Amino acid sequence: MKLSAQSSDTLVFFCNGQKISEKHPDPSWSLAQYIRSKLQLTGCKIGCGVGGCGACTVMVSAMGQSTRNISHIAVNACLYPLCAIHGKAVTTIEGIGSTKTKLHAVQERLAQTHGSQCGFCSPGMVMSMYTLLRNNPKPSTDEVLSAMEGNLCRCTGYRPILDAFKTFTEQAGCCNGSTGGKCCQNGDAEMSDELYDVTKFTEYDPTQDVIFPPELLTNNSTFLQSTQFTKDQLTWINAGNIEDFLSLKSNNPKAVIIAGNTAAPGASHNLEGVVIYTGQVSQLNSIELTETGLKVGASVTMSMLQNAIKLHCKTLSSDQASSLHIIQQALQQYASCQIRNVATIGGHLVAPKSDYDLVPLIMAVGAKAFIVDTDGNVRESTLNGSSYSSDDRLVQSNEILQYIEIPFTSVNEHVEFYKMSHKRYYLDNAVVTAAFCMTFEPESDVVRDGCLVFGGIRKLPVFADATMKKLIGRTWNTELLESTCASLKEDLQSDIDASGKDQDYCSNLVVGSFFKFFFKVLKSLEEKQVTSSTPLPATPEFGSIPSKVPCGSALFQPAPKDQPNIDSIGRPIVHRSALQQTSGEAVYVDDLPPVQGELYLAFVLPSRGRARVLSTNLAAAQEVDGYVTYVNADDITGINRSTLDDDEILVTKEVYSTGAIIGAIVATTPEAAHKAAKLVHVSYEDLPVITTIEEAIEQEAFHQPTESLQKGDVEKGFDQSSVVLEGTIRTAAQEHYYMEPTACIAKPSGEAGEIEMITCFQEINSVQCTVAKALGVDANKVNVKTKRAGGSFGGKSNQCNYMAVCALAAQKTGKAVRMVLPRGTDIQITGHREGSMAKYKVGFDDKTGKINSLDITVYINWGSPSGIHFAIFGQVLFSLQGVYAMDNIHTTVKNCATNIPATKPMRTFGIVQSVFIIESIITDIALRCGLPVLQVREVNMHKEDIPTTYYGVPIEGFDVFRRCWKECLDKSDYHNRRNQVNNFNSKNKWTKRGIAIAPLKFNVGNYPTFMHQAGAMVNLYLDGSVLIHHGGVEVGQGIHTKMIQIASRVLGIPVDKIHVAENSTYVIPHATDTAGSHSTDMWGMAVKNACDTLVDRLAPFKSDKPDGNFADWVSAAYFSRVNLSVIGYYQTPDITWDWATKTGRPYPYSTFGAACSEVQIDCLTGSHELMRTDIVMDVGKSLNPALDIGQIEGAFMMGYGYFMLEELLWDKDGTLITNGPYNYKIPCVRDIPAEFNITLLRNCPNVRGVYSSKGIGEPTLCLANTVHFAVQDAIQSARADAGISEVFALEAPATPDRIRKACGELNFTKL
């Protein structure tokens, strides 16, 4: 190996103003690894490890090589190579503010606007906004949205985050442009919208920000020299200039070239040999405006190009800048801000992939590449399909790409770019991209030349040359359009067939994109008055997805005016950990510093869904430096069964899904553990695999038992119905996608077999039981602790075999062992929301839509093992009736035993499918009868004051539902907007709008009777402070905050005097799973009971000294030997259910709500925009409106993901396909409704809830079905235009391909 660079053993950079000199840095490390491991700055979180979530966002600052301007960019530290930071400055969350010193305005405002729930994403959010402010102290609201695109949040629904950051913008406008600050337009005297007080925010002072290190300014040239760092088998070279780069390339022709390190996330962690970094080569980072175009260096980043186009276009004519404007728009759709800040034009072009958006566009505009070989020879190549070699490379091993030149557009030239994505408009991979460039004869509509380029079909863009040849010399008219559409299908059919993608969908996207282009060009030609054909009566309008700045309202009933200020119940107080979370000080499991000798664990997982394990070969794994041992079933000293005895903890002979664990590698570093685990060779004997519900039905593969409920005689009901309709309703599996990956640390105590488990689990009782069983010790030797979880949503509950394996590793080695699941592994083994298929038969009156009889069988794709499959029976069956009266109904649930990892309860476990099923049936009835859906919903609703469910439970408070329904109709202005939608659709063929309103009855706390119990311990201290222990886990929902509020009211002391301790099975045993939206009800009552007892004990001392304070009374009680530590206990009353007799009351109460959503769809592509959502929700008397509204919005957006975006997919052998943010998309900030209005129903106390409140963590997820139904409504208009009237099924999620297909066949001849 020949090298040619100045060798160095010291990496120098600045972090938070402090100089860091690292000798012998590991070139394989990312910046995030170093920051967290070496600097112990754990505010930089690792959420996905591949640059997809933004949790690891930090600011990198550097001085420009030519301008000497200081640039600040937000980057994903998990992707940013450590050695690329040489000579630069990095700022982390810890460097901008602290609760111990002074918070930065961004940190403070994010907390005060309730924008931090679980808090795991908060540091990344803060750093993205902080970086934006460093570049522009008064950004626009659209710049804020752009900066936030790459930061995912699963908790909040994004609205409060935007509220916080919009307060910094120059266009804040009314009430600072925020939803939650007091609004001047709220005219309802009984309601408040003041979730926070903007007048109390600390003013942002840019002069207080960390300065760029002077040493980097004065010694900049030193750091720009070529340097190399070597460790083990990897050498990293920072090329200083193009001459050095060419020399290095000559000496190391097989070297890997890296600039942004975004092409293969995590690739630098697996490199060997030589890596050459080009990020500081000035000649590759320049942008120059020439007489003919824009000259762009190969290492210019997407963000640099965006900014340069914005700057240079000011000096160009609109015609000249046309192509540059299109490129700028295309760049905005490309990835996230953090990725655009490092991804380069050269990386995009040199080794393109099929989903690289810009390549077709750069080719279509006729850009030229200038390529230099190691001898200094330059060759020029016009970028097109022939520019690439047979192995799809633009440059050879002895060449580099120096720059490209993008030509200006001529006056007769028209350029356009279209991107059609898999799931959503922003932040998604393309199914098809289309780039068109058409040149006309001067002052004519006759085509002279052009280019039709399509990406996403093959690895390299596809040129429709045959079609283009047919266009030359032709007039731009409708005859040309029709023939071109037909020609494109024929021209590209073979390429589409070979792509492996949906052929019809891709073909429609190809033709549809040209269809749009045709009319855009036609409109331009007409404006220039150069068209020779007869003008069309009306040029079709096509919907676009605008860059929306969300707005809305959040209304709640304020606390009574006479309520004492010290009483925080009903007030929107801030989450008690919010400031620690937004400052990066909140500690999550993997933030804990390692103890001496701590080891790390990585799993060996099956590569197929079902197989017999024949052998395991560890030879290669044992050669990895740092390997310690291997843990398998032979190491289990206790019982190799999970808590429910349904599954092995570690595989002995056979795997039933890829969620099983064959074994685990234990090593001295996490990198060594994961590397070794990948090298373990497992031999299998494949067995038959079942992955789908249809396969399970065919083979009668069901977990036993099944369950059903019935009322009346359904067959008789069908006979009495004028119409009987049958249908199928499908929903996909959904990943929990909490931001903090599953993690735990197992610490053996060294005596009596005791072990401490530090986890982020929401059900620590299961961890204690499973670990004790596996280790062969009593449960009293296992202490499980949880401080907080960075999100959970059910994903960190129940089955916890992986925790037991970590404990086994600790027992075997006698040392602490840390387990942090990589995101792909986490998705693979921790369970998910169950996919479902419902088959229904419904009889009804065809004049009114009134249901006479209904039979539903719901099939659940449960997976393996069986787990708690029985728990879903009640969740589904008790919710299938909705708010509707039915005399004859029969429902059945069957759980399919498939070879995918077993389902794990997820927010609205089983209920969201049931609500969707019944509302879909109502929608189908309306369509079949030709009636408005609203009319059919209302005709079927319960009419009694206290109706009864079909399983015999009275629905208390149904009048509250009727109020929700009426208020939602009124606040959403449904009837007026229904007419507006109809009017819009009558005038538009290719863009349609839809609106839908739907009701909700949600059964809170619907789980087995034994789980309806809770314990808490409250301790009083002599200084008047209070410590609460309870069994509810803080997962972001604010349960600790509400416990403090409850205790504060009972004890009559300020909330600041109360603290909630971390959960521990040694303190509160048998803690029920924090789930079912019932946790505050149960633990709140337990805390209240304990506090009531303490108040009684203090009463005599308060009576003796009425003018004393709380501390005085506590001290007096202590010296009188009164016990000041009380256990509170609560069991939900009147709860029972007997499946044998089908009688009882399975849940304490129901909560009610309604939502209305409006959408716009593009019939050509299937993309959609969520224009507005209004929600009216019954929460009883809210304990904390800010927390409750946050839960409502967060749940709704998770439901939006479920109904519109998210879908877990497995291949035929049971292997997970969608295993990370690259191919599994959760909602981002651009997905929230353009207008989002929330109203908490006033005056609706709940007699069964603590302080009249109701659980609210889950219900509104179900109401996101209104988006799906609104899309269905829009589709129906498109189908009506096409003459299609029959009932149609729209699977959830309603992805663009499904929407496009449901609209019917495209007919481009009827304009």
Side-chain angles (χ1 to χ4, degrees), residues 114-416:
H114 315 286
S116 182
Q117 291 187 16
C118 85
F120 195 81
C121 73
S122 297
M125 294 284 182
V126 168
M127 292 311 300
S128 287
M129 186 63 198
Y130 174 79
T131 307
L132 176 61
L133 292 177
R134 289 298 299 265
N135 289 300
N136 184 0
K138 274 291 183 182
S140 68
T141 49
D142 194 61
E143 286 173 325
V144 170
L145 277 173
S146 181
M148 292 297 106
E149 286 172 355
N151 292 83
L152 298 181
C153 175
R154 196 58 152 165
C155 296
T156 66
Y158 298 102
R159 191 272 311 162
I161 299 171
L162 284 177
D163 273 3
F165 297 162
K166 283 193 290 185
T167 63
F168 293 97
T169 65
E170 58 186 8
Q171 303 127 308
C174 172
C175 315
N176 282 313
S178 304
T179 303
K182 186 171 181 61
C183 181
C184 60
Q185 297 180 6
N186 176 29
D188 192 333
E190 293 186 31
M191 301 292 277
S192 172
D193 53 12
E194 192 170 2
L195 292 173
Y196 50 86
D197 186 352
V198 296
T199 64
K200 294 182 179 179
F201 290 165
T202 300
E203 195 68 29
Y204 170 52
D205 183 1
T207 65
Q208 298 303 304
D209 288 328
V210 178
I211 65 169
F212 188 72
E215 183 178 338
L216 296 183
L217 286 172
T218 56
N219 297 325
N220 186 51
S221 59
T222 302
F223 295 113
L224 293 179
Q225 297 176 9
S226 295
T227 53
Q228 76 177 51
F229 306 96
T230 301
K231 187 169 184 180
D232 299 329
Q233 303 300 311
L234 179 60
T235 294
W236 178 282
I237 304 175
N238 289 330
N241 53 59
I242 195 165
E243 292 79 17
D244 285 356
F245 183 21
L246 289 169
S247 176
L248 289 165
K249 182 69 172 172
S250 177
N251 293 331
N252 306 278
K254 295 184 179 181
V256 175
I257 311 301
I258 284 180
N261 196 39
T262 61
S268 62
H269 299 217
N270 302 307
L271 292 172
E272 292 184 351
V274 177
V275 173
I276 302 174
Y277 174 67
T278 66
Q280 62 188 34
V281 178
S282 61
Q283 297 93 330
L284 302 182
N285 281 275
S286 63
I287 302 176
E288 179 185 347
L289 194 67
T290 69
E291 292 183 358
T292 57
L294 193 65
K295 183 177 171 183
V296 183
S299 289
V300 166
T301 67
M302 306 297 185
S303 294
M304 290 169 62
L305 181 56
Q306 277 184 296
N307 295 332
I309 291 175
K310 185 177 180 181
L311 175 65
H312 291 308
C313 281
K314 295 177 181 179
T315 65
L316 301 173
S317 69
S318 58
D319 286 326
Q320 282 182 307
S322 176
S323 61
L324 296 178
H325 279 306
I326 297 299
I327 289 173
Q328 187 178 32
Q329 293 170 16
L331 285 167
Q332 191 58 46
Q333 284 183 259
Y334 176 76
S336 65
C337 178
Q338 292 94 322
I339 296 297
R340 291 194 297 269
N341 284 339
V342 294
T344 65
I345 298 300
H348 217 63
L349 293 169
V350 169
K353 295 182 179 179
S354 62
D355 54 3
Y356 277 14
D357 302 349
L358 293 184
V359 181
L361 179 54
I362 290 173
M363 288 182 171
V365 299
K368 295 179 180 179
F370 292 83
I371 298 166
V372 186
D373 66 20
T374 52
D375 294 326
N377 301 311
V378 179
R379 68 179 176 92
E380 177 183 324
S381 174
T382 299
L383 289 167
N384 53 43
S386 62
S387 304
Y388 290 80
S389 61
S390 58
D391 59 352
D392 299 330
R393 310 287 302 184
L394 179 64
V395 298
Q396 301 308 307
S397 60
N398 68 329
E399 294 178 324
I400 66 167
L401 173 64
Q402 184 173 357
Y403 65 91
I404 66 169
E405 186 167 356
I406 303 170
F408 297 140
T409 316
S410 71
V411 68
N412 301 313
E413 199 170 9
H414 297 263
V415 177
E416 192 52 81

Side-chain angles (χ1 to χ4, degrees), residues 91-114:
T91 304
T92 72
I93 187 80
E94 293 88 350
I96 70 169
S98 165
T99 60
K100 302 176 182 66
T101 54
K102 181 182 179 181
L103 288 168
H104 192 277
V106 178
Q107 296 170 316
E108 179 201 56
R109 294 187 197 183
L110 183 60
Q112 296 297 334
T113 60
H114 315 286

Side-chain angles (χ1 to χ4, degrees), residues 14 293 306 391 543 755 809 900 938 1197 1308:
F14 281 74
Q306 277 184 296
D391 59 352
I755 191 167
I900 63 174
E938 292 185 335
M1197 287 310 299
F1308 297 114

Side-chain angles (χ1 to χ4, degrees), residues 1132-1151:
T1132 310
D1134 307 323
I1135 296 296
T1136 181
W1137 181 260
D1138 186 338
W1139 278 108
T1141 62
K1142 311 291 172 68
T1143 59
R1145 183 187 185 90
Y1147 47 85
Y1149 61 84
S1150 298
T1151 190

